[in-house]
Amino acid sequence: MKVGRKLWAIIFIKLFIMFAILKVFFFPDYLQTNFTNDEERAAHVFKNITRLSQNK
Amino acid sequence: MVEQIDLTQVNWARAQFALTAMYHWIFVPLTLGLSFLVAFFESIYVRTGNEEWKRLTKFWMTLFGINFAIGVATGIILEFQFGTNWSNYSWMVGDIFGAPLAVEGIFAFFLEATFFAVMFFGWNRVSKGFHLFSTWMVAFGSNLSALWILVANGWMQFPTGMKFNLDTARFEMQNFWEVLFSPVAISKFTHATSSGFLLASLFVVGISCWYLLNERHQTMAKRSIIVAAVFGLLSATYVIFTGDEAAYTVAQKQPMKLAAMEGLYVGQESAPLVAAGLINSAKLPGDNMDPFALEVKIPGLLSLLANRDPGSFVPGINDLVFGNQEQRVIGAAERIEKGKIALELLRTYKDARKSGDQAGAEAAQQAFAGYKDHLGYGYLNSPSEAVPPVGLTFYAFHIMVITGSIFPLVLLLILYFQIKGNLASHRWLLYLGILCVPLGYVSSQAGWVLAEVGRQPWAIYGLLPVTVANSNLTTGAVLTTFMIFLAIFTLLLVAEISIMAKQINIGPEEN
Ligand code: HEM
């Protein structure tokens, strides 16, 4: 089935782009990469949610 | 200390999420519904042993496969975005969503992966009965995996069954069942899945109409129409029923969304439903302008929809912004004050903990409990910021409902003439059947636009506005990924349409 082969190709190319390129280079987990432990992460989020107020 | 939030960055992050979600939702509803239709077709084949039904099943299964292959993993992108663009939000909800999404990941993956393989590649390798069983499991599995994500969305629309932990800055699950069976989650699941059944039925009927117009594969087309039109009619009825339930739930839990989707500024008893209208885009909360340039109203119907009582009071945008003491509606203005106190108490708690003042921390925590439901309002600068974009919400709702009322009529006519045996001679109806395919997608997308735009400015309703949910990133970073997605998804859409069109043109395999 020709269409089957085309679909497998699309699936693999897509998964490659998503996981090997986008996830690695463009979508680092912000809190995981910028902080070393959960305490720091909580402190960062806490600071954000208590000091921010909406601005124009 | 007040820090500037880069609104451009937030808006690009929102645009990126909307873009991804909308593209993802092109593939999902067809998967949800076509999986069941294929299961129906195959069941008929297994019961009758008629090879024509097998050919028919395989044809629709191929289209299902194309849609699945191109759509698969487009949803993962949403999860990437959570961690990168919406890190405050992700951190805060990790405890709530972690469990359901992990269950989905493991359960649905194994269910789907196993049975998908049998369904597509097992025709001559397993028994007829087991093959059919696998097809049904694919249908149930796909719909079940939609459950968890809709539960998560339901929770964001109506946060329940949780407690905010002041030390970890996280919402913690208190009651899993309350999250799972929240009225919003149930109405999301029933309405979104059944709308997928309807969309897939329109898809099958529309393509079959195209075959009849072109006098090709007519036996297959007629058989497909009978099954899909019946399923579509049942689904359409259920969609309207669950849509009514969704509107009731919105009225109870998100009255601002209801007011926006109806362009209702001044609350009233026996509120009329605006059946169709043109929004006056210059209208602002509290001014004296007419909200509509043009409107057609049905008396009392909005009160009935919102409260199941045609005489009841439905609060309008003005009531929800400025408050209405007589009707005991608390306005955003008052909630902002309470929200600011909640935020101040959070700070006091943190400072007390830091300085080891246990009694002070406990007092702040206790006081916080009285204000916590208003927390999100503390971030708003003015009460009118609590109002979602009225025009978009209004039009999305009306497009969905108007098209949703046309579908059952078209399906009924098509079924009627098909049973009478003269459908092919009603060419206008065949064209209408084809037109309903894009309209089904429009309707379905409009549903999500309503649900998501209508809940602005909130990421978590009433607790966390989108402007605080995001990460501290630059606009450039978000803009770059937006453009990348735009390109990838557009390519995928082109692939979907062209491969699908080619396969439809080829038609079912000849024996
Ligand atoms: C005809 C009567 C209909 C009514 C009264 C109705 C009502 C609603 C309401 C009130 C919502 C918002 C729920 C929320 O924000 O939580 C909604 C959402 C939605 N609707 Fe409809 N709807 C109708 C028809 C349709 C049709 C025909 C489709 C698609 C074929 C559709 C697809 C959706 C989708 C995908 C959503 C977003 C998911 C959700 O919130 O459940 N609806 N609908």
Side-chain angles (χ1 to χ4, degrees), chain B residues 188 191 195 239-240 243 246-247 250 257 400 404 443-444 447-448 450-451:
Chain B
K188 289 259 151 216
H191 192 60
S195 74
V239 163
I240 292 173
V250 166
K257 187 192 275 180
M400 177 184 64
S443 190
S444 193
W448 275 115
L450 157 66

Side-chain angles (χ1 to χ4, degrees), chain B residues 225-245:
Chain B
I225 283 179
I226 295 271
V227 177
V230 170
F231 185 50
L233 267 173
L234 292 174
S235 306
T237 315
Y238 193 61
V239 163
I240 292 173
F241 172 75
T242 53
D244 171 66
E245 189 61 30

Side-chain angles (χ1 to χ4, degrees), chain B residues 108-358:
Chain B
F109 177 79
F110 282 110
L111 191 79
E112 286 178 25
T114 319
F115 294 115
F116 259 103
V118 177
M119 176 170 146
F120 283 108
F121 309 110
W123 276 106
N124 301 318
R125 297 192 176 94
V126 298
S127 72
K128 262 189 193 177
F130 186 67
H131 192 276
L132 178 63
F133 174 72
S134 303
T135 307
W136 276 103
M137 290 315 279
V138 166
F140 283 116
S142 314
N143 281 271
L144 205 64
S145 47
L147 173 70
W148 302 114
I149 195 71
L150 290 167
V151 166
N153 184 275
W155 186 86
M156 289 165 68
Q157 307 268 359
F158 172 54
T160 182
M162 53 75 189
K163 190 173 150 244
F164 186 64
N165 182 325
L166 276 68
D167 290 308
T168 57
R170 293 191 114 154
F171 292 102
E172 288 175 352
M173 179 106 69
Q174 294 275 289
N175 186 338
F176 174 74
W177 303 111
E178 215 177 294
V179 174
L180 183 62
F181 292 118
S182 105
V184 178
I186 292 176
S187 100
K188 289 259 151 216
F189 179 65
T190 50
H191 192 60
T193 49
S194 57
S195 74
F197 301 165
L198 172 59
L199 181 135
S201 306
L202 294 170
F203 178 86
V204 170
V205 168
I207 292 170
S208 304
C209 284
W210 185 78
Y211 282 135
L212 291 184
L213 266 177
N214 290 289
E215 297 174 13
R216 295 176 55 195
H217 313 296
Q218 296 187 56
T219 314
M220 182 195 86
K222 288 175 185 166
R223 287 179 172 175
S224 303
I225 283 179
I226 295 271
V227 177
V230 170
F231 185 50
L233 267 173
L234 292 174
S235 306
T237 315
Y238 193 61
V239 163
I240 292 173
F241 172 75
T242 53
D244 171 66
E245 189 61 30
Y248 174 73
T249 322
V250 166
Q252 304 305 312
K253 311 292 182 203
Q254 302 177 314
M256 182 62 94
K257 187 192 275 180
L258 185 92
M261 73 199 217
E262 272 298 296
L264 181 72
Y265 278 81
V266 181
Q268 62 185 97
E269 281 161 2
S270 302
L273 185 92
V274 178
L278 267 184
I279 289 275
N280 172 1
S281 57
K283 168 83 184 159
L284 292 172
D287 71 14
N288 288 328
M289 274 198 222
D290 192 334
F292 291 98
L294 200 83
E295 85 261 48
V296 183
K297 290 179 174 172
I298 308 172
L301 199 57
L302 183 59
S303 288
L304 184 68
L305 193 77
N307 301 317
R308 309 271 195 251
D309 171 3
S312 63
F313 178 82
V314 180
I317 292 172
N318 289 350
D319 306 281
L320 294 159
V321 168
F322 306 110
N324 178 336
Q325 277 196 333
E326 197 186 315
Q327 297 289 344
R328 280 192 256 143
V329 179
I330 306 179
E334 190 182 332
R335 298 194 72 178
I336 287 178
E337 279 170 28
K338 293 186 171 166
K340 299 234 183 271
I341 298 175
L343 278 175
E344 198 47 54
L345 286 166
L346 273 187
R347 286 184 207 110
T348 312
Y349 174 81
K350 212 60 189 174
D351 291 344
R353 291 281 286 178
K354 234 187 232 164
S355 60
D357 172 7
Q358 195 53 32

